[in-house]
Amino acid sequence: MSRTARSLRVVLAEDSVLLREGLIGLLARFGHEVVAAVGDADGLRAAVAEHDPDIVVTDVRMPPGFQDEGLRAAVALRADRPGLPVLVLSQYVQRTYAADLLDAGDGTGVGYLLKDRVGQVEEFLDALTRVADGGTVVDPEVVRQLLRRHRDPLEALTPREREVLALVAEGHSNGEIARRLVVTEAAVGKHIGNILGKLNLPPAEDTHRRVLAVLTYLRA
């Protein structure tokens, strides 16, 4: 039997009874065994200790706080059991959750998928086996947002546009910026229009766009 065709012993943590039962049925239909299915983080830790599974599949948010209990349990489990494969399912993209999970251990044998991906059965099962085999699987949407996080939002601006934006951040009016840079006020307005366009701030109330541009500048 190939590695990807082998049957996996799974501990499943999901507080939604409907999704939990659905995953149990889906995994069983494709030859995997859910050795324990629990609805909270404490149950997850106990089930892993009792069953020593091939892989953990867990929701991020679980009782009692419905914050990141499942994720924190998964990170703690990997700290105690280096190499324990964990596939985390999340309702929404949370970049910090994905980063925390990838930082747990050596980054192998971990996966972070959006729950919508479960509906794409072949893709979900492929991710399950790849994580169980020590691979790393991250939802394409999460990757896209992680890459966006590391991109400098100001990289598209010219040196002059950065200079104008810095003066905007200091609270200067277009007229004052024009005086300081020894250019016309119309030229400043053109630079600001280019800045707003490059920062992907679509037409709206001008003051609001200027504030958003300043916030982008300060966070870069």
Side-chain angles (χ1 to χ4, degrees), residues 57-80:
V57 178
T58 181
D59 188 7
V60 170
R61 299 184 179 186
M62 287 195 291
F66 294 98
Q67 297 298 316
D68 60 352
E69 290 85 347
L71 177 77
R72 285 191 280 110
V75 170
L77 285 169
R78 281 179 59 83
D80 292 339

Side-chain angles (χ1 to χ4, degrees), residues 152-180:
D152 179 3
L154 305 182
E155 65 182 1
L157 304 188
T158 66
R160 175 61 95 182
E161 288 165 352
R162 286 173 179 255
E163 195 172 12
V164 170
L165 182 54
L167 291 170
V168 171
E170 292 174 12
H172 299 298
S173 65
N174 286 11
E176 177 62 15
I177 294 172
R179 189 187 67 78
R180 286 172 176 254

